[in-house]
Amino acid sequence: MTALPKKYYTPEEYLKLEEKASYKSEYFDGQIYPMGDFEGDTPEAMAGAKPAHNAIRENLSIEIGAFLRKKTCRSYSSDQRVFIPSNGLYTYPDLVVVCGKPEFSDIQTNSLLNPVLIVEVLSQSTANYDRGEKFELYRDIPTFREYLLIDSRRIWAELWRKSNDGIWSLVFEGKSLDSIIYLETIGAKLPLTDLYVNTEDLPETVFEIR
């Protein structure tokens, strides 16, 4: 995360600014962080998500949304803000799934509280954060059970799952289009070949995530 110039913002100030902003931002520990693939540390430097990132996010929305049609779980796209009361994070995952009745915060009724599945599409600027600190913050959500990460720079995905005793484990790592992800929270099987449609031949070779 790259913050705006240092100034402490209350959650109420952040939410008021977010209503009028032309871009989405995270909020954590009094700071506001513009979201997206960008170079530099100001909103003006934001270049928007890369085509592969957008394609994967759209494919996820189509595949999971179609699978959940007429079921008790529902998916929300990257426009859905999530709030974690225990640590104060407001953020916009690439996709979230709620099973049962969705719950929203009292401060701002469109901030979701109870996702069971969170999906993030990794990019050069977000990979370390999504796999590290952000995952730690997400784990404070009581209902959160599965975390799916899809790389937008190569064919690669990993799935983390929370056991009944509260332990998080890596249960899947796919590095080829032949791989199939099984999402236990919703009972869905997702072939990587479907998630990487229209990504213009991303490599299957392994390289270091930075």
Side-chain angles (χ1 to χ4, degrees):
M1 290 189 292
T2 302
L4 293 173
K6 288 291 185 180
K7 174 187 181 305
Y8 181 85
Y9 296 88
T10 67
E12 292 78 12
E13 289 173 329
Y14 159 73
L15 291 169
K16 186 174 294 185
L17 289 169
E18 197 71 354
E19 288 180 0
K20 303 176 182 178
S22 58
Y23 54 89
K24 298 192 294 289
S25 298
E26 285 191 350
Y27 173 86
F28 181 65
D29 196 24
Q31 297 296 305
I32 296 176
Y33 302 88
M35 299 185 67
D37 263 348
F38 63 95
E39 296 180 358
D41 56 3
T42 65
E44 290 76 12
M46 295 180 71
K50 301 296 188 296
H53 186 287
N54 289 333
I56 294 167
R57 187 166 57 190
E58 182 71 11
N59 294 335
L60 282 161
S61 182
I62 291 170
E63 296 298 324
I64 293 178
F67 177 82
L68 294 178
R69 189 173 296 122
K70 297 183 179 180
K71 292 183 172 65
T72 57
C73 298
R74 69 186 76 181
S75 62
Y76 294 89
S77 70
S78 59
D79 288 331
Q80 177 59 62
R81 185 168 57 232
V82 169
F83 174 49
I84 309 174
S86 60
N87 58 45
L89 175 68
Y90 286 90
T91 189
Y92 296 84
D94 285 306
L95 186 139
V96 296
V97 173
V98 173
C99 291
K101 183 179 180 181
E103 299 175 6
F104 299 93
S105 68
D106 292 333
I107 297 175
Q108 190 80 2
T109 57
N110 59 355
S111 296
L112 186 67
L113 297 172
N114 63 328
V116 297
L117 166 66
I118 296 175
V119 184
E120 294 285 8
V121 180
L122 304 182
S123 63
Q124 187 67 32
S125 62
T126 67
N128 285 342
Y129 173 53
D130 287 343
R131 300 181 77 238
E133 182 183 359
K134 195 172 191 181
F135 187 18
E136 292 181 14
L137 295 170
Y138 279 152
R139 292 199 291 264
D140 281 347
I141 303 173
T143 56
F144 181 37
R145 305 290 298 184
E146 284 185 312
Y147 190 41
L148 176 60
L149 300 165
I150 309 288
D151 202 314
S152 67
R153 302 161 298 164
R154 59 168 176 164
I155 307 302
W156 180 87
E158 70 179 29
L159 177 66
W160 292 79
R161 183 176 297 144
K162 183 180 178 181
S163 66
N164 291 333
D165 57 4
I167 304 300
W168 283 92
S169 301
L170 178 64
V171 296
F172 170 87
E173 185 175 12
K175 301 177 182 179
S176 74
L177 293 176
D178 295 331
S179 301
I180 298 176
I181 304 165
Y182 175 65
L183 298 175
E184 186 178 82
T185 47
I186 59 175
K189 293 182 179 180
L190 300 179
L192 283 194
T193 186
D194 291 341
L195 301 185
Y196 279 97
V197 171
N198 297 324
T199 56
E200 299 182 338
D201 301 321
L202 293 181
E204 293 187 5
T205 52
V206 178
F207 60 86
E208 181 183 359
I209 295 180
R210 298 179 180 177

